Amino acid sequence: MSRATRTWWKTAIGVALTALMLFPLYWMINVSFTQRPAIRRGDLFPRSFTLDNYAVVLHDQLPYLGTSLLIGFGTVLLTLLISAPAAYALSSLFVPGRRLFNFLLIVAQMVPAVVMALGFYTIYVQLGILDTIPGLIVADATIAIPFGVMLFATFMAGIPRELLQAAAVDGASSWATFRRIVLPISRNAAVTVALFAFLWAWSDFIFASTLNREGGRLRPITMGLYDYIGSQNQEWGPLMATAVVASIPTAILLVVAQRYVAAGVTAGAVKD
Amino acid sequence: MSQTTASMPGATKEHAPERRPKASRPRLRRRHVTGLIFAAPLIVYLLLFYAYPLAVNVSMSLRRFTRATYVTGEAPFAGADIYKEVLASPQFWPTVEQTAIFVVVSLVFQYTIGLALAVFFYRNFPLSTVLRGLFLVPWLLPIIVSATTWQWMMDADNGILNRFLGLFGVDPIWWLNADNSLWAVIIANIWLGIPFNLVILYSGLQNISKDLYEAAELDGAGPWRRFWSITFPLLRPVTAITLLLGFVYTLKVVDIIWIMTTGTGKSQTLATWAYGMAFGKGTSAVIKYSQASVVGTILLVIALVMGLVYLAVQRREED
């Protein structure tokens, strides 16, 4: 076999494997475009095509989408505000107990969300901030902040020391160095952290379903979707259409920012 | 499994990055203060929004909370009583067993398939980068989206899965009923975990020197031999991290199971049990906060232990 034929076969197998892997997503999209009576027939493509399911979604789910955007951006902001300076301190300044921080941040990423939710629930009941957007943002940020600190710290540790020392010699304060040198250089890391913070907040189910169960329209899209699931007579058309709409941020991020995503997945888990 | 765990480089080593041999004392102290100021928001956040909720969780497991005492906040201290009750409950050991099956079977398949795909994609071919990128999609989607899609695909009467199996003469399987539900959620969870394993193992492969393969090829080692003699042994550190993180993530899975089966029947794991006892709607008339906190505390202890193991593995890698 010539080399060209060999790689051609690999591409063919690769396409087949990817198609198999992504089949559930195709199925979701397929059902979302199928008329209600035809859904149970299980056609391999939307033969009875309709946009009605999406009309239902626009009617039912728009407020939840807005809430989800708000929560997503809020979580990104909070995550960046806390993790970037902390990472600067841990990577470039003198902080006692760095090893303890490292351990705590690793454990923080391993604590099951359900355990956090139990604690948060009790605290939020006492504070009266159950079913509020700020409450959910604070909880959602717990998913991203340890990751953010670690990713920023890894990145900032790679900034040449000479650069920071030169700034110090010029009389720049730590704050000025951080703002004018460290932050601009860390732009890529910031994008990755922001991406994941947004995606995790957008996708969150456990915190939303415990801390913001009865927030009415102030609940995120995952709860809007959950309303459909919980109902007695599951309407699969609108359900799948909502699922498709809820997947849009993922799709956009993958198209626009795939390299940042890959950078985030491997961060820290694999060392050179 | 929708997270990745990051860690700081060299954080396990003794030295701080900028330690200089003869820093004068007052100067050193000022640098301490500056560092602490920058880290202050994080420290406050960790205390308020990690330590405090976790402490509340543990304290709830030691006091008897019911609906009434939950509101008044005057739950009587129960010591280890609730722990004993939970451990003695007829649900405890079956749930531990199901959790173990869920975790182990998920991990074995996620890892094996992820590794096979990583090796497959390792030799670049046309479109390989694009296809590899597409493999990430299931991992980035909201889990509730994937879970509902699987739920519909596994519908006994109209699901595509049974229809497909029907082509081979297999009778419809009631995927989501009590007895089969564990396998249904395992299948969906394997699917969810493949991307993570693929990406991490793929980048692990990239760190293996190409010279080794060339030398082995010159010595006449076939692809199979090369895999078992070079790839697999050299991937061991990455494998350890992947499986460790996979274990932690799989142990804490709630949403995929809850959405597909509400943790009914055999699909109940420790995490969904805790969730169901505290927040389950309709599944139990009595809300059992304290019992849920007991299970939560058990999960917390496992997470702590795994954090230590992670550090140990990381340190061994750095040496």
Side-chain angles (χ1 to χ4, degrees):
Chain A
M1 256 193 307
S2 76
R3 200 177 170 79
T5 339
R6 242 171 43 212
T7 54
W8 186 87
W9 270 107
K10 284 202 114 180
T11 303
I13 296 172
V15 169
L17 289 173
T18 313
L20 186 67
M21 184 73 182
L22 297 187
F23 180 80
L25 304 183
Y26 171 74
W27 203 243
M28 162 180 91
I29 295 167
N30 178 22
V31 172
S32 77
F33 285 115
T34 304
Q35 286 171 24
R36 189 162 183 265
I39 285 177
R40 294 191 177 273
R41 227 171 39 219
D43 294 333
L44 287 176
F45 62 96
R47 219 165 39 173
S48 318
F49 184 86
T50 180
L51 288 174
D52 290 355
N53 298 324
Y54 285 91
V56 174
V57 170
L58 280 183
H59 180 262
D60 289 357
Q61 305 281 2
L62 222 46
Y64 302 131
L65 286 170
T67 310
S68 268
L69 277 179
L70 201 62
I71 291 170
F73 288 129
T75 308
V76 168
L77 201 66
L78 185 59
T79 305
L80 292 178
L81 280 178
I82 291 180
S83 56
Y88 172 56
L90 289 170
S91 67
S92 315
L93 299 174
F94 204 90
V95 179
R98 275 167 44 89
R99 290 176 60 176
L100 180 67
F101 269 106
N102 185 47
F103 174 68
L104 288 179
L105 291 170
I106 286 172
V107 170
Q109 294 173 81
M110 296 184 164
V111 175
V114 61
V115 184
M116 298 290 292
L118 275 162
F120 269 124
Y121 186 77
T122 305
I123 296 168
Y124 281 14
V125 167
Q126 284 160 6
L127 294 179
I129 54 169
L130 209 58
D131 305 327
T132 61
I133 289 181
L136 191 53
I137 289 176
V138 166
D140 278 347
T142 60
I143 314 174
I145 283 178
F147 168 82
V149 176
M150 298 269 192
L151 195 123
F152 269 123
T154 309
F155 194 89
M156 289 171 182
I159 298 176
R161 297 293 106 181
E162 296 77 23
L163 212 58
L164 304 181
Q165 276 154 15
V169 169
D170 289 347
S173 64
S174 297
W175 174 247
T177 314
F178 174 64
R179 257 202 45 203
R180 296 210 202 98
I181 300 174
V182 176
L183 270 190
I185 296 182
S186 308
R187 225 200 65 206
N188 281 355
V191 173
T192 306
V193 171
L195 269 176
F196 277 89
F198 184 87
L199 218 48
W200 287 333
W202 179 274
S203 311
D204 162 68
F205 169 77
I206 295 185
F207 288 133
S209 69
T210 53
L211 306 178
N212 196 356
R213 250 192 308 191
E214 273 136 42
R217 311 230 110 181
L218 293 181
R219 294 175 306 157
I221 185 69
T222 45
M223 286 294 96
L225 191 55
Y226 194 52
D227 283 352
Y228 281 150
I229 301 172
S231 66
Q232 277 300 308
N233 189 14
Q234 290 202 355
E235 289 276 0
W236 287 101
L239 185 55
M240 289 293 122
T242 311
V244 172
V245 173
S247 313
I248 290 174
T250 309
I252 294 177
L253 294 185
L254 260 188
V255 173
V256 178
Q258 200 198 320
R259 71 195 171 97
Y260 296 106
V261 173
V265 183
T266 48
V270 178
K271 300 177 51 63
D272 295 318
Chain B
M1 175 137 84
S2 59
Q3 280 192 27
T4 79
T5 294
S7 60
M8 285 181 286
T12 51
K13 297 230 174 92
E14 294 289 346
H15 60 85
E18 251 190 274
R19 187 203 274 181
R20 272 189 225 131
K22 274 186 207 159
S24 60
R25 283 214 147 238
R27 211 193 128 142
L28 194 72
R29 203 164 295 144
R30 213 183 68 214
R31 287 193 10 214
H32 266 107
V33 172
T34 319
L36 281 175
I37 289 174
F38 274 92
L42 176 69
I43 295 170
V44 171
Y45 193 86
L46 285 177
L47 286 175
L48 276 183
F49 300 116
Y50 279 93
Y52 185 40
L54 294 178
V56 167
N57 180 75
V58 174
S59 105
M60 275 168 70
S61 72
L62 298 171
R63 296 159 67 202
R64 198 169 292 282
F65 277 94
T66 60
R67 240 211 204 291
T69 52
Y70 192 77
V71 177
T72 59
E74 288 161 359
F77 186 77
D81 285 2
I82 306 166
Y83 282 83
K84 284 181 198 147
E85 285 166 30
V86 168
L87 259 68
S89 99
Q91 287 196 66
F92 183 76
W93 288 110
T95 304
V96 169
E97 190 191 325
Q98 287 152 19
T99 310
I101 296 175
F102 179 73
V103 171
V104 172
V105 177
S106 293
L107 281 187
V108 167
F109 281 92
Q110 284 170 0
Y111 176 78
T112 315
I113 299 172
L115 181 57
L117 286 167
V119 170
F120 174 75
F121 279 113
Y122 180 61
R123 290 284 174 98
N124 280 340
F125 51 87
L127 285 181
S128 65
T129 316
V130 177
L131 295 177
R132 207 157 40 82
L134 286 173
F135 258 86
L136 279 179
V137 174
W139 182 74
L140 295 170
L141 282 181
I143 286 183
I144 190 166
V145 166
S146 315
T148 40
T149 307
W150 276 101
Q151 198 191 7
W152 175 238
M153 289 186 6
M154 286 178 163
D155 188 80
D157 298 322
N158 304 294
I160 184 77
L161 196 59
N162 273 351
R163 210 159 285 187
F164 175 75
L165 293 173
L167 295 178
F168 303 96
V170 179
D171 286 335
I173 298 168
W174 290 83
W175 289 105
L176 302 171
N177 86 350
D179 288 333
N180 296 328
S181 56
L182 180 58
W183 298 106
V185 295
I186 285 176
I187 291 172
N189 191 54
I190 291 170
W191 179 80
L192 276 177
I194 289 173
F196 173 78
N197 283 265
L198 166 62
V199 173
I200 297 219
L201 293 168
Y202 181 85
S203 60
L205 286 182
Q206 285 181 315
N207 290 336
I208 298 178
S209 157
K210 298 227 177 3
D211 302 347
L212 285 173
Y213 289 105
E214 280 166 21
E217 216 168 343
L218 283 179
D219 288 345
W224 189 250
R225 182 77 205 278
R226 290 202 295 271
F227 176 81
W228 288 111
S229 308
I230 301 174
T231 313
F232 198 65
L234 286 178
L235 266 185
R236 249 187 53 203
V238 181
T239 297
I241 294 284
T242 312
L243 290 178
L244 182 72
L245 295 179
F247 177 88
V248 174
Y249 298 150
T250 314
L251 191 68
K252 62 182 188 177
V253 165
V254 170
D255 26 18
I256 181 111
I257 300 176
W258 190 261
I259 289 152
M260 285 177 72
T261 70
T262 56
T264 49
K266 290 227 177 344
S267 63
Q268 175 168 291
T269 63
L270 287 173
T272 64
W273 193 25
Y275 181 89
M277 282 194 286
F279 306 111
K281 54 177 181 189
T283 47
S284 71
V286 193
I287 306 265
K288 301 173 181 163
Y289 293 113
S290 294
Q291 287 84 343
S293 304
V294 166
V295 178
T297 307
I298 295 174
L299 289 170
L300 184 62
V301 170
I302 300 177
L304 277 173
V305 172
M306 285 300 140
L308 288 170
V309 176
Y310 184 94
L311 274 190
V313 172
Q314 201 186 40
R315 200 166 305 168
R316 218 181 50 194
E317 247 184 272
E318 273 173 13
D319 290 338

